[in-house]
Amino acid sequence: MKATAAGIAAVQRPDGGIPWETGGHLDPWNHLEAAMGLDVAGLKAEAEAAYDWLHRNQRPDGSWAARYRDGKIDLSTMDTNFTAYVAVGTRHHFLLTGDRAWLDRMWPVVDRAVDAVLRRQQPSGAISWRDDPEVRLVAGCGSIHHALTQALALASTMGLDRPQWRDAARRLRAALVGEPRLFAAKPHAMDWYYPILGSVVTGADATARLAAGWDRFVEPGLGVRCVHHEPWVTGGETAELALTLATRGERARAGELLACVARLRLDDGSYWTGYQYADDEFWPDERTTWTSGAVLLATAALDGDPATCEVFGEQRNRQV
């Protein structure tokens, strides 16, 4: 997978930012997914340049903008799940490197980011996506729950306690599990598997959730449909479901899914975003760095990489 990581690095801007593709836009969540892919492939310097970008571009309130283009803000609103995700990437890099000096530098970034996100938490425990408090997303909040588990683990490493974060994670989990009406109903696969990848639903409940949605979202031999009603499988969702399965110990099914992604791979190691199998064409006409990052992470998990399995595995739920 060295070629895939090299492809991400080739798209990375001189300032460390990783856009979706050359000349494209950047968002903090997918920037981090690509950075973690660089890390598991051994490109530490390039990964750290991506974290330096986050350090330099964090706004005074602890957030990042939802979208950047050519080094400038393109959409100023904060996506809460985008801002929270820095905790996931930071812990992943620290576990891979053991670099405490680097963590000491990144910790204030994580601390401010988590507080920025939790200012959007509602009395119900749910967290709004953007400025409209009525828009709450299952996948986004599942990702935030994941980030909170990692932020708590980082706080513990720093010798600190953040009981308000622990309480926020518990309240968010309770809302996701017990109050589904609070969240926008969407047909996306991410709403199916992200509560598992985000450690909201675990154990036997996770097994049951996977079984309930499998035929709806998984196209045999092709991968995961981005939305259940369209004949379109996507590399990112397929790799993330493989990551979910691999970190739960379901290695055979993870391997089968990851093998499906090979259809999207080009000779240079990059990946098409998706494949429209009714029309037999790759669509859209883009090769995204975050797809490559997700494939690299799933591959690392399937290979038993300790840092990736720790950050994305169910055992992290002990933090909350």
Side-chain angles (χ1 to χ4, degrees):
M1 303 302 282
K2 293 293 186 183
T4 299
I8 296 174
V11 174
Q12 189 171 28
R13 291 171 47 87
D15 64 3
I18 307 176
W20 283 27
E21 57 184 338
T22 300
H25 73 274
L26 175 159
D27 74 68
W29 199 101
N30 287 298
H31 166 89
L32 279 157
E33 188 95 331
M36 286 188 280
L38 291 172
D39 246 341
V40 295
L43 299 187
K44 175 186 172 183
E46 290 84 352
E48 290 191 351
Y51 288 100
D52 287 343
W53 184 93
L54 290 165
H55 193 283
R56 290 193 307 273
N57 286 278
Q58 189 174 33
R59 297 188 289 194
D61 69 352
S63 73
W64 290 272
R67 189 170 67 230
Y68 298 79
R69 189 179 295 275
D70 298 327
K72 298 178 181 178
I73 292 175
D74 189 44
L75 180 61
S76 63
T77 189
M78 174 180 74
D79 284 10
T80 49
N81 56 315
F82 287 5
T83 287
Y85 208 54
V86 67
V88 177
T90 297
R91 185 156 188 253
H92 186 249
H93 184 77
F94 173 67
L95 290 176
L96 282 168
T97 65
D99 188 340
R100 182 57 187 261
W102 179 86
L103 179 58
D104 287 345
R105 182 169 178 266
M106 281 298 297
W107 167 250
V109 176
V110 173
D111 198 10
R112 291 193 298 268
V114 171
D115 284 346
V117 170
L118 293 187
R119 285 195 289 272
R120 297 279 184 89
Q121 189 164 34
Q122 299 169 3
S124 66
I127 296 174
S128 58
W129 176 44
R130 288 183 173 172
D131 295 330
D132 185 346
E134 296 304 312
V135 180
R136 299 170 291 264
L137 306 179
V138 171
C141 282
S143 180
I144 293 170
H145 185 271
H146 182 196
L148 288 171
T149 68
Q150 299 309 294
L152 284 161
L154 288 170
S156 179
T157 299
M158 298 296 296
L160 301 171
D161 189 22
R162 290 289 189 271
Q164 71 275 24
W165 293 0
R166 189 172 296 107
D167 178 66
R170 288 171 177 161
R171 291 171 55 223
L172 177 58
R173 184 170 183 263
L176 283 162
V177 172
E179 298 288 345
R181 63 179 179 77
L182 294 172
F183 301 90
K186 300 183 72 177
H188 292 76
M190 290 182 73
D191 278 16
W192 165 51
Y193 66 77
Y194 234 95
I196 303 168
L197 188 57
S199 197
V200 174
V201 180
T202 59
D205 290 338
T207 301
R209 186 181 182 93
L210 286 168
W214 191 268
D215 292 340
R216 193 178 192 210
F217 287 107
V218 178
E219 188 66 25
L222 292 177
V224 176
R225 291 187 290 277
C226 179
V227 291
H228 64 74
H229 58 284
E230 294 288 349
W232 179 46
V233 293
T234 47
E237 278 79 357
T238 302
E240 285 188 339
L241 181 56
L243 172 63
T244 304
L245 294 168
T247 55
R248 298 188 78 242
E250 298 187 50
R251 296 176 52 80
R253 285 208 297 180
E256 290 169 5
L257 277 174
L258 199 54
C260 294
V261 182
R263 175 186 297 272
L264 304 176
R265 192 175 191 271
L266 286 85
D267 290 342
D268 64 0
S270 63
Y271 288 83
W272 295 111
T273 294
Y275 172 63
Q276 218 283 358
Y277 53 87
D279 297 335
D280 189 25
E281 65 179 10
F282 297 110
W283 185 85
D285 185 16
E286 63 182 19
R287 292 172 286 170
T288 40
T289 53
W290 48 265
T291 297
S292 293
V295 172
L296 288 167
L297 283 170
T299 301
L302 194 58
D303 289 343
D305 173 64
T308 304
C309 291
E310 167 67 19
V311 167
F312 290 93
E314 281 189 2
Q315 67 270 23
R316 67 181 179 275
N317 197 48
R318 64 178 179 267
Q319 296 295 330
V320 295

